[in-house]
Amino acid sequence: MVTYGERMTPDDETQEAVFRALADSSRRRLLDLLHARGGQSLTELEEEFAMTRFGVMKHLRVLSDAGLVVTRKQGRKTLHFLNPVPIRLVHDRWIDKYTEPQVATLAGLVPLLEGASPEEG
């Protein structure tokens, strides 16, 4: 396991938790299920997995600790909801800045390609 020194900021710790949470396919599946329909109970979510109730609870805890899932009590039920904000922050920090030059280049090619005749290829 990698350990970090004191130079790690709270934002870095948050993003580290998000990356760690997204690294597991079961957790990504839970996020997909909550994206499709928010407000699901543990019982509803565990029906989608070939693992124990405790296993699903552990995955939900990791997602919750990363801020990706929020829970709300409704009577006796605890409902789970997707919080997409941490994923968006990771996108803005790590994905968007790396794709912007490539997208601008591709967008610049569109007029050139649309102006080409079929014989020109």
PDB file of all heavy atoms in Angstrom, residues 78-114:
ATOM      1  N   THR A  78     -33.325   2.645   4.957  1.00  0.00           N
ATOM      2  CA  THR A  78     -32.246   3.552   4.612  1.00  0.00           C
ATOM      3  C   THR A  78     -32.108   3.498   3.102  1.00  0.00           C
ATOM      4  O   THR A  78     -31.879   2.430   2.524  1.00  0.00           O
ATOM      5  CB  THR A  78     -30.923   3.136   5.275  1.00  0.00           C
ATOM      6  OG1 THR A  78     -31.111   3.159   6.704  1.00  0.00           O
ATOM      7  CG2 THR A  78     -29.797   4.071   4.904  1.00  0.00           C
ATOM      8  N   LEU A  79     -32.270   4.633   2.459  1.00  0.00           N
ATOM      9  CA  LEU A  79     -32.210   4.714   1.007  1.00  0.00           C
ATOM     10  C   LEU A  79     -30.868   5.293   0.578  1.00  0.00           C
ATOM     11  O   LEU A  79     -30.327   6.188   1.226  1.00  0.00           O
ATOM     12  CB  LEU A  79     -33.358   5.566   0.470  1.00  0.00           C
ATOM     13  CG  LEU A  79     -34.756   5.086   0.843  1.00  0.00           C
ATOM     14  CD1 LEU A  79     -35.816   6.036   0.283  1.00  0.00           C
ATOM     15  CD2 LEU A  79     -35.001   3.668   0.350  1.00  0.00           C
ATOM     16  N   HIS A  80     -30.358   4.787  -0.517  1.00  0.00           N
ATOM     17  CA  HIS A  80     -29.051   5.187  -1.030  1.00  0.00           C
ATOM     18  C   HIS A  80     -29.235   5.953  -2.332  1.00  0.00           C
ATOM     19  O   HIS A  80     -30.016   5.545  -3.198  1.00  0.00           O
ATOM     20  CB  HIS A  80     -28.178   3.949  -1.253  1.00  0.00           C
ATOM     21  CG  HIS A  80     -28.044   3.115  -0.025  1.00  0.00           C
ATOM     22  ND1 HIS A  80     -27.122   3.377   0.952  1.00  0.00           N
ATOM     23  CD2 HIS A  80     -28.742   2.034   0.396  1.00  0.00           C
ATOM     24  CE1 HIS A  80     -27.244   2.490   1.918  1.00  0.00           C
ATOM     25  NE2 HIS A  80     -28.230   1.663   1.609  1.00  0.00           N
ATOM     26  N   PHE A  81     -28.473   7.035  -2.476  1.00  0.00           N
ATOM     27  CA  PHE A  81     -28.556   7.894  -3.646  1.00  0.00           C
ATOM     28  C   PHE A  81     -27.155   8.171  -4.178  1.00  0.00           C
ATOM     29  O   PHE A  81     -26.202   8.312  -3.406  1.00  0.00           O
ATOM     30  CB  PHE A  81     -29.209   9.240  -3.297  1.00  0.00           C
ATOM     31  CG  PHE A  81     -30.633   9.120  -2.839  1.00  0.00           C
ATOM     32  CD1 PHE A  81     -30.930   8.895  -1.505  1.00  0.00           C
ATOM     33  CD2 PHE A  81     -31.674   9.233  -3.748  1.00  0.00           C
ATOM     34  CE1 PHE A  81     -32.245   8.793  -1.075  1.00  0.00           C
ATOM     35  CE2 PHE A  81     -32.994   9.136  -3.330  1.00  0.00           C
ATOM     36  CZ  PHE A  81     -33.277   8.918  -1.991  1.00  0.00           C
ATOM     37  N   LEU A  82     -27.045   8.302  -5.480  1.00  0.00           N
ATOM     38  CA  LEU A  82     -25.794   8.677  -6.123  1.00  0.00           C
ATOM     39  C   LEU A  82     -25.539  10.165  -5.904  1.00  0.00           C
ATOM     40  O   LEU A  82     -26.451  10.982  -6.046  1.00  0.00           O
ATOM     41  CB  LEU A  82     -25.880   8.390  -7.631  1.00  0.00           C
ATOM     42  CG  LEU A  82     -24.743   8.935  -8.490  1.00  0.00           C
ATOM     43  CD1 LEU A  82     -23.446   8.219  -8.175  1.00  0.00           C
ATOM     44  CD2 LEU A  82     -25.097   8.790  -9.956  1.00  0.00           C
ATOM     45  N   ASN A  83     -24.313  10.501  -5.567  1.00  0.00           N
ATOM     46  CA  ASN A  83     -23.873  11.901  -5.530  1.00  0.00           C
ATOM     47  C   ASN A  83     -22.827  12.049  -6.644  1.00  0.00           C
ATOM     48  O   ASN A  83     -21.685  11.621  -6.481  1.00  0.00           O
ATOM     49  CB  ASN A  83     -23.257  12.261  -4.181  1.00  0.00           C
ATOM     50  CG  ASN A  83     -22.727  13.672  -4.166  1.00  0.00           C
ATOM     51  OD1 ASN A  83     -23.101  14.501  -4.989  1.00  0.00           O
ATOM     52  ND2 ASN A  83     -21.848  13.951  -3.223  1.00  0.00           N
ATOM     53  N   PRO A  84     -23.188  12.633  -7.792  1.00  0.00           N
ATOM     54  CA  PRO A  84     -22.267  12.697  -8.926  1.00  0.00           C
ATOM     55  C   PRO A  84     -21.199  13.786  -8.816  1.00  0.00           C
ATOM     56  O   PRO A  84     -20.287  13.833  -9.633  1.00  0.00           O
ATOM     57  CB  PRO A  84     -23.203  12.982 -10.110  1.00  0.00           C
ATOM     58  CG  PRO A  84     -24.333  13.735  -9.507  1.00  0.00           C
ATOM     59  CD  PRO A  84     -24.514  13.157  -8.125  1.00  0.00           C
ATOM     60  N   VAL A  85     -21.270  14.634  -7.814  1.00  0.00           N
ATOM     61  CA  VAL A  85     -20.337  15.765  -7.713  1.00  0.00           C
ATOM     62  C   VAL A  85     -18.872  15.320  -7.647  1.00  0.00           C
ATOM     63  O   VAL A  85     -18.032  15.852  -8.381  1.00  0.00           O
ATOM     64  CB  VAL A  85     -20.715  16.685  -6.531  1.00  0.00           C
ATOM     65  CG1 VAL A  85     -19.659  17.758  -6.305  1.00  0.00           C
ATOM     66  CG2 VAL A  85     -22.075  17.309  -6.778  1.00  0.00           C
ATOM     67  N   PRO A  86     -18.493  14.345  -6.811  1.00  0.00           N
ATOM     68  CA  PRO A  86     -17.079  13.948  -6.775  1.00  0.00           C
ATOM     69  C   PRO A  86     -16.574  13.420  -8.122  1.00  0.00           C
ATOM     70  O   PRO A  86     -15.421  13.670  -8.487  1.00  0.00           O
ATOM     71  CB  PRO A  86     -17.029  12.848  -5.709  1.00  0.00           C
ATOM     72  CG  PRO A  86     -18.190  13.139  -4.826  1.00  0.00           C
ATOM     73  CD  PRO A  86     -19.257  13.661  -5.748  1.00  0.00           C
ATOM     74  N   ILE A  87     -17.423  12.729  -8.862  1.00  0.00           N
ATOM     75  CA  ILE A  87     -17.013  12.237 -10.184  1.00  0.00           C
ATOM     76  C   ILE A  87     -16.797  13.418 -11.121  1.00  0.00           C
ATOM     77  O   ILE A  87     -15.840  13.448 -11.894  1.00  0.00           O
ATOM     78  CB  ILE A  87     -18.050  11.247 -10.751  1.00  0.00           C
ATOM     79  CG1 ILE A  87     -18.080   9.988  -9.897  1.00  0.00           C
ATOM     80  CG2 ILE A  87     -17.729  10.901 -12.206  1.00  0.00           C
ATOM     81  CD1 ILE A  87     -19.161   9.013 -10.267  1.00  0.00           C
ATOM     82  N   ARG A  88     -17.667  14.414 -11.042  1.00  0.00           N
ATOM     83  CA  ARG A  88     -17.516  15.609 -11.885  1.00  0.00           C
ATOM     84  C   ARG A  88     -16.228  16.353 -11.546  1.00  0.00           C
ATOM     85  O   ARG A  88     -15.529  16.840 -12.434  1.00  0.00           O
ATOM     86  CB  ARG A  88     -18.737  16.519 -11.726  1.00  0.00           C
ATOM     87  CG  ARG A  88     -18.672  17.773 -12.552  1.00  0.00           C
ATOM     88  CD  ARG A  88     -18.540  17.388 -14.020  1.00  0.00           C
ATOM     89  NE  ARG A  88     -18.130  18.543 -14.799  1.00  0.00           N
ATOM     90  CZ  ARG A  88     -18.644  18.835 -15.975  1.00  0.00           C
ATOM     91  NH1 ARG A  88     -19.555  18.053 -16.520  1.00  0.00           N
ATOM     92  NH2 ARG A  88     -18.226  19.878 -16.628  1.00  0.00           N
ATOM     93  N   LEU A  89     -15.895  16.438 -10.273  1.00  0.00           N
ATOM     94  CA  LEU A  89     -14.662  17.108  -9.878  1.00  0.00           C
ATOM     95  C   LEU A  89     -13.440  16.371 -10.410  1.00  0.00           C
ATOM     96  O   LEU A  89     -12.474  17.000 -10.847  1.00  0.00           O
ATOM     97  CB  LEU A  89     -14.596  17.247  -8.352  1.00  0.00           C
ATOM     98  CG  LEU A  89     -15.647  18.167  -7.731  1.00  0.00           C
ATOM     99  CD1 LEU A  89     -15.575  18.107  -6.210  1.00  0.00           C
ATOM    100  CD2 LEU A  89     -15.491  19.593  -8.233  1.00  0.00           C
ATOM    101  N   VAL A  90     -13.476  15.043 -10.373  1.00  0.00           N
ATOM    102  CA  VAL A  90     -12.385  14.259 -10.945  1.00  0.00           C
ATOM    103  C   VAL A  90     -12.319  14.495 -12.458  1.00  0.00           C
ATOM    104  O   VAL A  90     -11.243  14.677 -13.024  1.00  0.00           O
ATOM    105  CB  VAL A  90     -12.556  12.757 -10.623  1.00  0.00           C
ATOM    106  CG1 VAL A  90     -11.648  11.899 -11.479  1.00  0.00           C
ATOM    107  CG2 VAL A  90     -12.286  12.512  -9.145  1.00  0.00           C
ATOM    108  N   HIS A  91     -13.472  14.526 -13.099  1.00  0.00           N
ATOM    109  CA  HIS A  91     -13.516  14.795 -14.535  1.00  0.00           C
ATOM    110  C   HIS A  91     -12.883  16.143 -14.848  1.00  0.00           C
ATOM    111  O   HIS A  91     -12.038  16.265 -15.731  1.00  0.00           O
ATOM    112  CB  HIS A  91     -14.960  14.766 -15.033  1.00  0.00           C
ATOM    113  CG  HIS A  91     -15.099  15.202 -16.443  1.00  0.00           C
ATOM    114  ND1 HIS A  91     -15.317  16.505 -16.794  1.00  0.00           N
ATOM    115  CD2 HIS A  91     -15.040  14.501 -17.596  1.00  0.00           C
ATOM    116  CE1 HIS A  91     -15.385  16.600 -18.108  1.00  0.00           C
ATOM    117  NE2 HIS A  91     -15.220  15.394 -18.617  1.00  0.00           N
ATOM    118  N   ASP A  92     -13.299  17.165 -14.119  1.00  0.00           N
ATOM    119  CA  ASP A  92     -12.783  18.508 -14.374  1.00  0.00           C
ATOM    120  C   ASP A  92     -11.274  18.594 -14.132  1.00  0.00           C
ATOM    121  O   ASP A  92     -10.562  19.266 -14.868  1.00  0.00           O
ATOM    122  CB  ASP A  92     -13.491  19.533 -13.490  1.00  0.00           C
ATOM    123  CG  ASP A  92     -14.950  19.713 -13.883  1.00  0.00           C
ATOM    124  OD1 ASP A  92     -15.363  19.221 -14.947  1.00  0.00           O
ATOM    125  OD2 ASP A  92     -15.680  20.353 -13.090  1.00  0.00           O
ATOM    126  N   ARG A  93     -10.795  17.894 -13.115  1.00  0.00           N
ATOM    127  CA  ARG A  93      -9.376  17.960 -12.756  1.00  0.00           C
ATOM    128  C   ARG A  93      -8.501  17.081 -13.634  1.00  0.00           C
ATOM    129  O   ARG A  93      -7.413  17.455 -14.033  1.00  0.00           O
ATOM    130  CB  ARG A  93      -9.212  17.572 -11.280  1.00  0.00           C
ATOM    131  CG  ARG A  93      -7.799  17.303 -10.806  1.00  0.00           C
ATOM    132  CD  ARG A  93      -6.937  18.566 -10.799  1.00  0.00           C
ATOM    133  NE  ARG A  93      -5.628  18.332 -10.241  1.00  0.00           N
ATOM    134  CZ  ARG A  93      -4.571  17.954 -10.949  1.00  0.00           C
ATOM    135  NH1 ARG A  93      -4.667  17.745 -12.242  1.00  0.00           N
ATOM    136  NH2 ARG A  93      -3.401  17.776 -10.371  1.00  0.00           N
ATOM    137  N   TRP A  94      -8.974  15.864 -13.958  1.00  0.00           N
ATOM    138  CA  TRP A  94      -8.096  14.897 -14.592  1.00  0.00           C
ATOM    139  C   TRP A  94      -8.436  14.571 -16.041  1.00  0.00           C
ATOM    140  O   TRP A  94      -7.559  14.158 -16.784  1.00  0.00           O
ATOM    141  CB  TRP A  94      -8.088  13.599 -13.779  1.00  0.00           C
ATOM    142  CG  TRP A  94      -7.383  13.785 -12.500  1.00  0.00           C
ATOM    143  CD1 TRP A  94      -7.937  13.964 -11.271  1.00  0.00           C
ATOM    144  CD2 TRP A  94      -5.975  13.869 -12.305  1.00  0.00           C
ATOM    145  NE1 TRP A  94      -6.962  14.145 -10.332  1.00  0.00           N
ATOM    146  CE2 TRP A  94      -5.735  14.082 -10.944  1.00  0.00           C
ATOM    147  CE3 TRP A  94      -4.886  13.771 -13.162  1.00  0.00           C
ATOM    148  CZ2 TRP A  94      -4.471  14.205 -10.411  1.00  0.00           C
ATOM    149  CZ3 TRP A  94      -3.623  13.891 -12.636  1.00  0.00           C
ATOM    150  CH2 TRP A  94      -3.420  14.106 -11.270  1.00  0.00           C
ATOM    151  N   ILE A  95      -9.657  14.684 -16.432  1.00  0.00           N
ATOM    152  CA  ILE A  95     -10.030  14.248 -17.769  1.00  0.00           C
ATOM    153  C   ILE A  95     -10.176  15.422 -18.723  1.00  0.00           C
ATOM    154  O   ILE A  95      -9.591  15.439 -19.797  1.00  0.00           O
ATOM    155  CB  ILE A  95     -11.319  13.403 -17.725  1.00  0.00           C
ATOM    156  CG1 ILE A  95     -11.062  12.155 -16.882  1.00  0.00           C
ATOM    157  CG2 ILE A  95     -11.779  13.029 -19.122  1.00  0.00           C
ATOM    158  CD1 ILE A  95     -12.281  11.379 -16.519  1.00  0.00           C
ATOM    159  N   ASP A  96     -10.921  16.416 -18.310  1.00  0.00           N
ATOM    160  CA  ASP A  96     -11.239  17.543 -19.173  1.00  0.00           C
ATOM    161  C   ASP A  96      -9.989  18.250 -19.694  1.00  0.00           C
ATOM    162  O   ASP A  96      -9.871  18.528 -20.882  1.00  0.00           O
ATOM    163  CB  ASP A  96     -12.142  18.528 -18.431  1.00  0.00           C
ATOM    164  CG  ASP A  96     -12.851  19.480 -19.360  1.00  0.00           C
ATOM    165  OD1 ASP A  96     -13.234  19.045 -20.461  1.00  0.00           O
ATOM    166  OD2 ASP A  96     -13.010  20.650 -18.991  1.00  0.00           O
ATOM    167  N   LYS A  97      -9.033  18.501 -18.827  1.00  0.00           N
ATOM    168  CA  LYS A  97      -7.850  19.251 -19.263  1.00  0.00           C
ATOM    169  C   LYS A  97      -6.987  18.453 -20.237  1.00  0.00           C
ATOM    170  O   LYS A  97      -6.268  19.028 -21.034  1.00  0.00           O
ATOM    171  CB  LYS A  97      -7.032  19.718 -18.065  1.00  0.00           C
ATOM    172  CG  LYS A  97      -6.187  18.657 -17.400  1.00  0.00           C
ATOM    173  CD  LYS A  97      -5.373  19.281 -16.292  1.00  0.00           C
ATOM    174  CE  LYS A  97      -4.469  18.272 -15.630  1.00  0.00           C
ATOM    175  NZ  LYS A  97      -3.699  18.876 -14.558  1.00  0.00           N
ATOM    176  N   TYR A  98      -7.054  17.145 -20.180  1.00  0.00           N
ATOM    177  CA  TYR A  98      -6.259  16.333 -21.091  1.00  0.00           C
ATOM    178  C   TYR A  98      -6.936  16.120 -22.438  1.00  0.00           C
ATOM    179  O   TYR A  98      -6.290  15.791 -23.417  1.00  0.00           O
ATOM    180  CB  TYR A  98      -5.920  14.984 -20.455  1.00  0.00           C
ATOM    181  CG  TYR A  98      -4.981  15.123 -19.292  1.00  0.00           C
ATOM    182  CD1 TYR A  98      -5.416  14.917 -17.996  1.00  0.00           C
ATOM    183  CD2 TYR A  98      -3.658  15.489 -19.482  1.00  0.00           C
ATOM    184  CE1 TYR A  98      -4.554  15.059 -16.919  1.00  0.00           C
ATOM    185  CE2 TYR A  98      -2.793  15.640 -18.417  1.00  0.00           C
ATOM    186  CZ  TYR A  98      -3.246  15.420 -17.142  1.00  0.00           C
ATOM    187  OH  TYR A  98      -2.393  15.566 -16.081  1.00  0.00           O
ATOM    188  N   THR A  99      -8.235  16.266 -22.492  1.00  0.00           N
ATOM    189  CA  THR A  99      -8.949  16.041 -23.750  1.00  0.00           C
ATOM    190  C   THR A  99      -9.191  17.320 -24.530  1.00  0.00           C
ATOM    191  O   THR A  99      -9.454  17.270 -25.722  1.00  0.00           O
ATOM    192  CB  THR A  99     -10.304  15.359 -23.492  1.00  0.00           C
ATOM    193  OG1 THR A  99     -11.090  16.177 -22.642  1.00  0.00           O
ATOM    194  CG2 THR A  99     -10.128  13.980 -22.901  1.00  0.00           C
ATOM    195  N   GLU A 100      -9.105  18.478 -23.896  1.00  0.00           N
ATOM    196  CA  GLU A 100      -9.432  19.735 -24.569  1.00  0.00           C
ATOM    197  C   GLU A 100      -8.614  19.973 -25.838  1.00  0.00           C
ATOM    198  O   GLU A 100      -9.187  20.277 -26.881  1.00  0.00           O
ATOM    199  CB  GLU A 100      -9.279  20.910 -23.609  1.00  0.00           C
ATOM    200  CG  GLU A 100      -9.778  22.201 -24.199  1.00  0.00           C
ATOM    201  CD  GLU A 100      -9.760  23.323 -23.189  1.00  0.00           C
ATOM    202  OE1 GLU A 100      -9.917  23.069 -21.992  1.00  0.00           O
ATOM    203  OE2 GLU A 100      -9.571  24.462 -23.637  1.00  0.00           O
ATOM    204  N   PRO A 101      -7.280  19.836 -25.840  1.00  0.00           N
ATOM    205  CA  PRO A 101      -6.537  20.080 -27.083  1.00  0.00           C
ATOM    206  C   PRO A 101      -6.920  19.110 -28.207  1.00  0.00           C
ATOM    207  O   PRO A 101      -7.036  19.510 -29.363  1.00  0.00           O
ATOM    208  CB  PRO A 101      -5.074  19.889 -26.676  1.00  0.00           C
ATOM    209  CG  PRO A 101      -5.054  20.067 -25.198  1.00  0.00           C
ATOM    210  CD  PRO A 101      -6.399  19.608 -24.707  1.00  0.00           C
ATOM    211  N   GLN A 102      -7.153  17.845 -27.848  1.00  0.00           N
ATOM    212  CA  GLN A 102      -7.524  16.872 -28.865  1.00  0.00           C
ATOM    213  C   GLN A 102      -8.887  17.192 -29.459  1.00  0.00           C
ATOM    214  O   GLN A 102      -9.090  17.063 -30.657  1.00  0.00           O
ATOM    215  CB  GLN A 102      -7.523  15.447 -28.290  1.00  0.00           C
ATOM    216  CG  GLN A 102      -6.153  14.943 -27.897  1.00  0.00           C
ATOM    217  CD  GLN A 102      -5.710  15.375 -26.512  1.00  0.00           C
ATOM    218  OE1 GLN A 102      -6.374  16.146 -25.835  1.00  0.00           O
ATOM    219  NE2 GLN A 102      -4.567  14.880 -26.090  1.00  0.00           N
ATOM    220  N   VAL A 103      -9.829  17.608 -28.634  1.00  0.00           N
ATOM    221  CA  VAL A 103     -11.167  17.941 -29.109  1.00  0.00           C
ATOM    222  C   VAL A 103     -11.104  19.161 -30.017  1.00  0.00           C
ATOM    223  O   VAL A 103     -11.749  19.205 -31.063  1.00  0.00           O
ATOM    224  CB  VAL A 103     -12.136  18.159 -27.924  1.00  0.00           C
ATOM    225  CG1 VAL A 103     -13.471  18.687 -28.401  1.00  0.00           C
ATOM    226  CG2 VAL A 103     -12.319  16.859 -27.156  1.00  0.00           C
ATOM    227  N   ALA A 104     -10.315  20.158 -29.645  1.00  0.00           N
ATOM    228  CA  ALA A 104     -10.172  21.354 -30.478  1.00  0.00           C
ATOM    229  C   ALA A 104      -9.565  20.987 -31.831  1.00  0.00           C
ATOM    230  O   ALA A 104      -9.993  21.501 -32.875  1.00  0.00           O
ATOM    231  CB  ALA A 104      -9.319  22.390 -29.762  1.00  0.00           C
ATOM    232  N   THR A 105      -8.594  20.098 -31.838  1.00  0.00           N
ATOM    233  CA  THR A 105      -7.985  19.658 -33.096  1.00  0.00           C
ATOM    234  C   THR A 105      -9.004  18.940 -33.964  1.00  0.00           C
ATOM    235  O   THR A 105      -9.103  19.206 -35.167  1.00  0.00           O
ATOM    236  CB  THR A 105      -6.784  18.733 -32.809  1.00  0.00           C
ATOM    237  OG1 THR A 105      -5.847  19.455 -32.009  1.00  0.00           O
ATOM    238  CG2 THR A 105      -6.123  18.274 -34.086  1.00  0.00           C
ATOM    239  N   LEU A 106      -9.758  18.031 -33.372  1.00  0.00           N
ATOM    240  CA  LEU A 106     -10.785  17.312 -34.134  1.00  0.00           C
ATOM    241  C   LEU A 106     -11.860  18.252 -34.659  1.00  0.00           C
ATOM    242  O   LEU A 106     -12.319  18.118 -35.790  1.00  0.00           O
ATOM    243  CB  LEU A 106     -11.412  16.209 -33.278  1.00  0.00           C
ATOM    244  CG  LEU A 106     -10.503  15.028 -32.952  1.00  0.00           C
ATOM    245  CD1 LEU A 106     -11.196  14.092 -31.970  1.00  0.00           C
ATOM    246  CD2 LEU A 106     -10.103  14.285 -34.204  1.00  0.00           C
ATOM    247  N   ALA A 107     -12.259  19.210 -33.836  1.00  0.00           N
ATOM    248  CA  ALA A 107     -13.269  20.173 -34.269  1.00  0.00           C
ATOM    249  C   ALA A 107     -12.752  21.003 -35.440  1.00  0.00           C
ATOM    250  O   ALA A 107     -13.505  21.367 -36.343  1.00  0.00           O
ATOM    251  CB  ALA A 107     -13.673  21.079 -33.111  1.00  0.00           C
ATOM    252  N   GLY A 108     -11.464  21.295 -35.457  1.00  0.00           N
ATOM    253  CA  GLY A 108     -10.867  22.029 -36.565  1.00  0.00           C
ATOM    254  C   GLY A 108     -10.813  21.231 -37.846  1.00  0.00           C
ATOM    255  O   GLY A 108     -10.771  21.796 -38.949  1.00  0.00           O
ATOM    256  N   LEU A 109     -10.817  19.922 -37.754  1.00  0.00           N
ATOM    257  CA  LEU A 109     -10.792  19.062 -38.940  1.00  0.00           C
ATOM    258  C   LEU A 109     -12.148  18.980 -39.633  1.00  0.00           C
ATOM    259  O   LEU A 109     -12.218  18.718 -40.835  1.00  0.00           O
ATOM    260  CB  LEU A 109     -10.344  17.645 -38.561  1.00  0.00           C
ATOM    261  CG  LEU A 109      -8.881  17.472 -38.197  1.00  0.00           C
ATOM    262  CD1 LEU A 109      -8.637  16.044 -37.709  1.00  0.00           C
ATOM    263  CD2 LEU A 109      -7.982  17.793 -39.362  1.00  0.00           C
ATOM    264  N   VAL A 110     -13.226  19.203 -38.903  1.00  0.00           N
ATOM    265  CA  VAL A 110     -14.568  19.062 -39.463  1.00  0.00           C
ATOM    266  C   VAL A 110     -14.762  19.927 -40.708  1.00  0.00           C
ATOM    267  O   VAL A 110     -15.180  19.413 -41.755  1.00  0.00           O
ATOM    268  CB  VAL A 110     -15.660  19.330 -38.392  1.00  0.00           C
ATOM    269  CG1 VAL A 110     -17.034  19.398 -39.016  1.00  0.00           C
ATOM    270  CG2 VAL A 110     -15.611  18.246 -37.325  1.00  0.00           C
ATOM    271  N   PRO A 111     -14.469  21.227 -40.671  1.00  0.00           N
ATOM    272  CA  PRO A 111     -14.663  22.028 -41.891  1.00  0.00           C
ATOM    273  C   PRO A 111     -13.797  21.550 -43.054  1.00  0.00           C
ATOM    274  O   PRO A 111     -14.233  21.564 -44.204  1.00  0.00           O
ATOM    275  CB  PRO A 111     -14.266  23.453 -41.478  1.00  0.00           C
ATOM    276  CG  PRO A 111     -14.304  23.467 -40.001  1.00  0.00           C
ATOM    277  CD  PRO A 111     -14.065  22.065 -39.558  1.00  0.00           C
ATOM    278  N   LEU A 112     -12.587  21.109 -42.744  1.00  0.00           N
ATOM    279  CA  LEU A 112     -11.709  20.614 -43.800  1.00  0.00           C
ATOM    280  C   LEU A 112     -12.274  19.354 -44.452  1.00  0.00           C
ATOM    281  O   LEU A 112     -12.265  19.201 -45.668  1.00  0.00           O
ATOM    282  CB  LEU A 112     -10.316  20.327 -43.247  1.00  0.00           C
ATOM    283  CG  LEU A 112      -9.528  21.526 -42.728  1.00  0.00           C
ATOM    284  CD1 LEU A 112      -8.262  21.067 -42.034  1.00  0.00           C
ATOM    285  CD2 LEU A 112      -9.209  22.479 -43.872  1.00  0.00           C
ATOM    286  N   LEU A 113     -12.758  18.448 -43.615  1.00  0.00           N
ATOM    287  CA  LEU A 113     -13.297  17.195 -44.146  1.00  0.00           C
ATOM    288  C   LEU A 113     -14.630  17.393 -44.862  1.00  0.00           C
ATOM    289  O   LEU A 113     -14.907  16.729 -45.858  1.00  0.00           O
ATOM    290  CB  LEU A 113     -13.465  16.178 -43.005  1.00  0.00           C
ATOM    291  CG  LEU A 113     -12.170  15.708 -42.360  1.00  0.00           C
ATOM    292  CD1 LEU A 113     -12.480  14.841 -41.147  1.00  0.00           C
ATOM    293  CD2 LEU A 113     -11.311  14.960 -43.353  1.00  0.00           C
ATOM    294  N   GLU A 114     -15.441  18.292 -44.371  1.00  0.00           N
ATOM    295  CA  GLU A 114     -16.713  18.560 -45.025  1.00  0.00           C
ATOM    296  C   GLU A 114     -16.530  19.248 -46.367  1.00  0.00           C
ATOM    297  O   GLU A 114     -17.346  19.101 -47.270  1.00  0.00           O
ATOM    298  CB  GLU A 114     -17.612  19.408 -44.126  1.00  0.00           C
ATOM    299  CG  GLU A 114     -18.149  18.637 -42.935  1.00  0.00           C
ATOM    300  CD  GLU A 114     -18.957  19.494 -41.990  1.00  0.00           C
ATOM    301  OE1 GLU A 114     -18.918  20.741 -42.081  1.00  0.00           O
ATOM    302  OE2 GLU A 114     -19.659  18.910 -41.134  1.00  0.00           O
TER     303      GLU A 114
END
